[in-house]
CSV table of all heavy atoms in Angstrom, one decimal:
chain,number,residue,atom,x,y,z
J,16,MET,N,0.9,-1.2,0.0
J,16,MET,CA,0.0,0.0,0.0
J,16,MET,C,0.9,1.3,0.0
J,16,MET,O,1.7,1.4,0.9
J,16,MET,CB,-0.9,0.0,1.2
J,16,MET,CG,-1.9,1.2,1.3
J,16,MET,SD,-3.1,1.2,0.0
J,16,MET,CE,-4.3,0.0,0.6
J,17,VAL,N,0.8,2.0,-1.0
J,17,VAL,CA,1.5,3.3,-1.1
J,17,VAL,C,0.6,4.4,-0.6
J,17,VAL,O,-0.5,4.6,-1.1
J,17,VAL,CB,2.0,3.5,-2.6
J,17,VAL,CG1,2.7,4.9,-2.7
J,17,VAL,CG2,2.9,2.4,-3.0
J,18,ILE,N,1.1,5.1,0.3
J,18,ILE,CA,0.4,6.3,0.9
J,18,ILE,C,1.0,7.6,0.5
J,18,ILE,O,2.2,7.8,0.8
J,18,ILE,CB,0.4,6.1,2.5
J,18,ILE,CG1,-0.1,4.8,2.9
J,18,ILE,CG2,-0.5,7.2,3.1
J,18,ILE,CD1,0.5,4.3,4.2
J,19,TYR,N,0.2,8.4,-0.2
J,19,TYR,CA,0.8,9.6,-0.8
J,19,TYR,C,-0.1,10.8,-0.5
J,19,TYR,O,-1.3,10.8,-0.8
J,19,TYR,CB,1.0,9.4,-2.3
J,19,TYR,CG,1.6,10.7,-3.0
J,19,TYR,CD1,2.9,11.1,-2.6
J,19,TYR,CD2,0.9,11.4,-3.9
J,19,TYR,CE1,3.5,12.2,-3.2
J,19,TYR,CE2,1.4,12.5,-4.5
J,19,TYR,CZ,2.7,12.9,-4.2
J,19,TYR,OH,3.3,14.0,-4.8
J,20,THR,N,0.5,11.8,0.1
J,20,THR,CA,-0.3,13.1,0.4
J,20,THR,C,0.2,14.1,-0.6
J,20,THR,O,1.3,14.6,-0.6
J,20,THR,CB,0.0,13.6,1.8
J,20,THR,OG1,-0.4,12.6,2.8
J,20,THR,CG2,-0.8,14.9,2.1
J,21,GLY,N,-0.7,14.4,-1.5
J,21,GLY,CA,-0.4,15.3,-2.6
J,21,GLY,C,-1.2,15.0,-3.8
J,21,GLY,O,-2.2,14.3,-3.7
J,22,THR,N,-0.9,15.6,-5.0
J,22,THR,CA,-1.7,15.4,-6.2
J,22,THR,C,-0.8,14.5,-7.1
J,22,THR,O,0.4,14.6,-7.3
J,22,THR,CB,-2.0,16.7,-6.9
J,22,THR,OG1,-0.8,17.4,-7.2
J,22,THR,CG2,-2.9,17.6,-6.0
J,23,THR,N,-1.5,13.6,-7.8
J,23,THR,CA,-0.9,12.7,-8.8
J,23,THR,C,-1.9,12.3,-9.8
J,23,THR,O,-3.1,12.2,-9.5
J,23,THR,CB,-0.3,11.5,-8.1
J,23,THR,OG1,0.3,10.6,-9.2
J,23,THR,CG2,-1.3,10.7,-7.3
J,24,ASP,N,-1.5,12.1,-11.1
J,24,ASP,CA,-2.4,11.7,-12.1
J,24,ASP,C,-2.3,10.1,-12.3
J,24,ASP,O,-3.0,9.6,-13.2
J,24,ASP,CB,-1.9,12.3,-13.4
J,24,ASP,CG,-2.1,13.8,-13.5
J,24,ASP,OD1,-3.1,14.3,-12.8
J,24,ASP,OD2,-1.3,14.5,-14.1
J,25,ALA,N,-1.6,9.5,-11.4
J,25,ALA,CA,-1.5,8.0,-11.5
J,25,ALA,C,-2.8,7.3,-11.3
J,25,ALA,O,-3.6,7.8,-10.5
J,25,ALA,CB,-0.5,7.5,-10.4
J,26,LYS,N,-3.1,6.3,-12.1
J,26,LYS,CA,-4.4,5.6,-12.1
J,26,LYS,C,-4.2,4.1,-12.3
J,26,LYS,O,-3.0,3.6,-12.5
J,26,LYS,CB,-5.3,6.1,-13.3
J,26,LYS,CG,-4.7,6.0,-14.6
J,26,LYS,CD,-5.6,6.6,-15.7
J,26,LYS,CE,-5.1,6.3,-17.1
J,26,LYS,NZ,-3.7,6.9,-17.3
J,27,LYS,N,-5.2,3.4,-12.1
J,27,LYS,CA,-5.1,1.9,-12.1
J,27,LYS,C,-4.5,1.5,-13.5
J,27,LYS,O,-4.9,2.0,-14.5
J,27,LYS,CB,-6.5,1.3,-12.0
J,27,LYS,CG,-6.5,-0.2,-12.0
J,27,LYS,CD,-7.9,-0.7,-11.8
J,27,LYS,CE,-8.0,-2.3,-11.8
J,27,LYS,NZ,-9.3,-2.8,-11.6
J,28,GLY,N,-3.6,0.6,-13.4
J,28,GLY,CA,-2.9,0.1,-14.6
J,28,GLY,C,-1.6,0.7,-14.9
J,28,GLY,O,-0.8,0.2,-15.7
J,29,ASP,N,-1.4,2.0,-14.4
J,29,ASP,CA,-0.1,2.7,-14.6
J,29,ASP,C,1.1,2.0,-14.0
J,29,ASP,O,1.0,1.4,-12.9
J,29,ASP,CB,-0.2,4.1,-14.1
J,29,ASP,CG,-1.1,5.0,-15.0
J,29,ASP,OD1,-1.4,4.6,-16.1
J,29,ASP,OD2,-1.4,6.1,-14.5
J,30,ILE,N,2.2,2.1,-14.6
J,30,ILE,CA,3.5,1.7,-14.0
J,30,ILE,C,4.1,2.9,-13.4
J,30,ILE,O,4.3,3.9,-14.1
J,30,ILE,CB,4.4,1.1,-15.1
J,30,ILE,CG1,3.8,0.0,-15.8
J,30,ILE,CG2,5.7,0.6,-14.4
J,30,ILE,CD1,3.3,-1.2,-15.0
J,31,ILE,N,4.4,2.8,-12.1
J,31,ILE,CA,5.0,4.0,-11.4
J,31,ILE,C,6.2,3.7,-10.7
J,31,ILE,O,6.6,2.5,-10.4
J,31,ILE,CB,4.0,4.6,-10.4
J,31,ILE,CG1,3.6,3.5,-9.3
J,31,ILE,CG2,2.7,5.0,-11.1
J,31,ILE,CD1,2.8,4.0,-8.2
J,32,GLU,N,7.0,4.8,-10.5
J,32,GLU,CA,8.2,4.7,-9.6
J,32,GLU,C,7.9,5.4,-8.3
J,32,GLU,O,7.3,6.5,-8.4
J,32,GLU,CB,9.4,5.3,-10.3
J,32,GLU,CG,10.1,4.5,-11.3
J,32,GLU,CD,11.4,5.1,-11.9
J,32,GLU,OE1,11.3,6.3,-12.0
J,32,GLU,OE2,12.3,4.4,-12.0
J,33,VAL,N,8.2,4.9,-7.2
J,33,VAL,CA,7.9,5.5,-5.9
J,33,VAL,C,9.2,5.7,-5.1
J,33,VAL,O,9.9,4.7,-4.9
J,33,VAL,CB,6.9,4.7,-5.1
J,33,VAL,CG1,6.7,5.3,-3.7
J,33,VAL,CG2,5.6,4.6,-5.9
J,34,TYR,N,9.4,6.9,-4.5
J,34,TYR,CA,10.5,7.1,-3.6
J,34,TYR,C,9.8,7.5,-2.3
J,34,TYR,O,8.8,8.2,-2.3
J,34,TYR,CB,11.4,8.2,-4.0
J,34,TYR,CG,12.4,7.9,-5.1
J,34,TYR,CD1,12.0,8.1,-6.4
J,34,TYR,CD2,13.6,7.3,-4.8
J,34,TYR,CE1,12.9,7.8,-7.5
J,34,TYR,CE2,14.5,7.0,-5.9
J,34,TYR,CZ,14.1,7.2,-7.2
J,34,TYR,OH,15.0,6.9,-8.2
J,35,GLY,N,10.3,6.9,-1.2
J,35,GLY,CA,9.6,7.2,0.1
J,35,GLY,C,10.3,6.5,1.3
J,35,GLY,O,11.5,6.2,1.2
J,36,THR,N,9.5,6.2,2.3
J,36,THR,CA,10.0,5.5,3.4
J,36,THR,C,9.0,4.4,3.8
J,36,THR,O,7.8,4.5,3.5
J,36,THR,CB,10.2,6.4,4.7
J,36,THR,OG1,8.9,7.0,5.0
J,36,THR,CG2,11.2,7.4,4.5
J,37,ILE,N,9.5,3.3,4.4
J,37,ILE,CA,8.6,2.2,4.8
J,37,ILE,C,7.8,2.6,5.9
J,37,ILE,O,8.3,3.1,7.0
J,37,ILE,CB,9.5,1.0,5.1
J,37,ILE,CG1,10.3,0.5,3.9
J,37,ILE,CG2,8.6,-0.2,5.6
J,37,ILE,CD1,11.3,-0.5,4.1
J,38,TYR,N,6.5,2.5,5.8
J,38,TYR,CA,5.5,2.8,6.8
J,38,TYR,C,5.4,1.8,8.0
J,38,TYR,O,5.3,2.1,9.1
J,38,TYR,CB,4.1,3.0,6.2
J,38,TYR,CG,3.0,3.2,7.1
J,38,TYR,CD1,2.7,4.5,7.6
J,38,TYR,CD2,2.2,2.1,7.5
J,38,TYR,CE1,1.6,4.6,8.4
J,38,TYR,CE2,1.1,2.3,8.4
J,38,TYR,CZ,0.8,3.6,8.9
J,38,TYR,OH,-0.2,3.7,9.7
J,39,GLY,N,5.6,0.6,7.5
J,39,GLY,CA,5.5,-0.6,8.5
J,39,GLY,C,4.2,-1.4,8.0
J,39,GLY,O,3.9,-1.4,6.8
J,40,THR,N,3.5,-1.9,9.0
J,40,THR,CA,2.3,-2.7,8.6
J,40,THR,C,1.1,-1.8,8.4
J,40,THR,O,0.8,-1.0,9.3
J,40,THR,CB,1.9,-3.7,9.8
J,40,THR,OG1,3.0,-4.6,10.0
J,40,THR,CG2,0.7,-4.5,9.4
J,41,TYR,N,0.5,-1.9,7.2
J,41,TYR,CA,-0.7,-1.0,7.0
J,41,TYR,C,-1.9,-2.0,7.0
J,41,TYR,O,-2.0,-3.0,6.4
J,41,TYR,CB,-0.6,-0.4,5.6
J,41,TYR,CG,-1.8,0.5,5.3
J,41,TYR,CD1,-1.8,1.8,5.7
J,41,TYR,CD2,-2.9,0.0,4.6
J,41,TYR,CE1,-2.9,2.6,5.5
J,41,TYR,CE2,-4.0,0.8,4.4
J,41,TYR,CZ,-4.0,2.1,4.8
J,41,TYR,OH,-5.1,2.9,4.6
J,42,ALA,N,-2.9,-1.6,7.8
J,42,ALA,CA,-4.1,-2.4,8.0
J,42,ALA,C,-5.3,-1.7,7.6
J,42,ALA,O,-5.5,-0.5,7.9
J,42,ALA,CB,-4.2,-2.9,9.5
J,43,PHE,N,-6.3,-2.4,7.0
J,43,PHE,CA,-7.6,-1.7,6.6
J,43,PHE,C,-8.6,-2.8,6.6
J,43,PHE,O,-8.3,-4.1,6.5
J,43,PHE,CB,-7.4,-1.0,5.3
J,43,PHE,CG,-7.1,-1.9,4.2
J,43,PHE,CD1,-8.1,-2.4,3.3
J,43,PHE,CD2,-5.8,-2.3,3.9
J,43,PHE,CE1,-7.8,-3.3,2.3
J,43,PHE,CE2,-5.5,-3.1,2.8
J,43,PHE,CZ,-6.5,-3.6,2.0
J,44,ASP,N,-9.9,-2.5,6.7
J,44,ASP,CA,-11.0,-3.4,6.5
J,44,ASP,C,-11.5,-3.4,5.1
J,44,ASP,O,-11.8,-2.3,4.5
J,44,ASP,CB,-12.1,-3.0,7.5
J,44,ASP,CG,-11.6,-3.2,9.0
J,44,ASP,OD1,-10.8,-4.0,9.2
J,44,ASP,OD2,-12.3,-2.6,9.9
J,45,ASP,N,-11.8,-4.6,4.6
J,45,ASP,CA,-12.4,-4.7,3.2
J,45,ASP,C,-13.9,-4.6,3.3
J,45,ASP,O,-14.4,-4.3,4.4
J,45,ASP,CB,-12.0,-6.0,2.6
J,45,ASP,CG,-12.5,-7.3,3.2
J,45,ASP,OD1,-13.4,-7.1,4.1
J,45,ASP,OD2,-12.1,-8.3,2.9
J,46,ALA,N,-14.6,-4.7,2.2
J,46,ALA,CA,-16.0,-4.5,2.1
J,46,ALA,C,-16.7,-5.5,3.0
J,46,ALA,O,-17.9,-5.2,3.5
J,46,ALA,CB,-16.4,-4.7,0.7
């Protein structure tokens, strides 16, 4: 899960490069 605060045109299917830091364990509830 990539967490980004800002604006980006990236959409599903795009190939992206990401620079950042490891957040750790990301947890969320599905539907």
